[in-house]
Amino acid sequence: METIAPIALKIVVLVVMVFGMFSLVIPFVPGLTIVWVAALVYGLLEGFNLTGGILFGVITALMLFGSVVDNLLMGAGAKQSGASWLAIGIALVAGVVGSLAFPPFGGLALAMIGLFVVEILRLRDWRRASDSAKSLVLGWGKAVLARIGIAALMILLWLAWAFLVP
């Protein structure tokens, strides 16, 4: 039978993980990293056996993949609508600057504006530039859903580790 301390630890870790998962709807908040750090803290406090170590390795791989999936999906969405690589690069830089300067949604807003401005200068067609910016935002939406799915899988793996692994 478990003592109160390990049960309390599991509850705290789970709450932090769920918070991390829900924070993924805010651009550039490292929700997957929050979930991963919670699993790491659990492992450091409870110890890593072979199965726990393997599960933590898979959780780590999911976190790393999930950390780049948003850039892939946002860029792919914009590229699919005809945006140039220059516009996508400017959008990425503008997104990082915006997320640091104007959290929580400044990153998405500046990425969209940056892409739109480059595309309107390149194409001289505001409708096509607008379509590219819209595709960037749709790619962001797909990325949010993908990261939430990845976070849920990370949490399920941790739950298996915490409650099923002896």
Side-chain angles (χ1 to χ4, degrees), residues 42-130:
Y42 175 79
L44 292 173
L45 293 175
E46 287 294 308
F48 290 95
N49 60 18
L50 178 62
T51 307
I54 291 170
L55 288 171
F56 183 71
V58 175
I59 290 168
T60 299
L62 286 168
M63 184 270 299
L64 293 172
F65 173 72
S67 295
V68 297
V69 76
D70 59 338
N71 293 329
L72 296 174
L73 290 174
M74 287 173 71
K79 189 65 181 162
Q80 196 171 29
S81 72
S84 68
W85 286 113
L86 174 64
I88 292 168
I90 295 291
L92 178 63
V93 171
V96 170
V97 170
S99 69
L100 296 173
F102 309 106
F105 295 104
L108 180 61
L110 283 185
M112 191 173 66
I113 291 167
L115 184 120
F116 179 78
V117 167
V118 171
E119 287 299 285
I120 205 160
L121 291 173
R122 181 177 78 92
L123 300 170
R124 307 250 187 258
D125 182 349
W126 69 270
R127 283 189 178 104
R128 286 177 54 200
S130 178

Side-chain angles (χ1 to χ4, degrees), residues 12 14 16 18 23 26 51 77 94 96-98 106 111 128 136 138 142 152:
V12 169
L14 183 59
V16 170
V18 170
S23 73
I26 301 171
T51 307
V96 170
V97 170
R128 286 177 54 200
L136 178 89
L138 290 173
K142 290 175 184 176

Side-chain angles (χ1 to χ4, degrees), residues 133-145:
K134 190 184 323 175
S135 293
L136 178 89
V137 173
L138 290 173
W140 172 77
K142 290 175 184 176
V144 168
L145 293 175

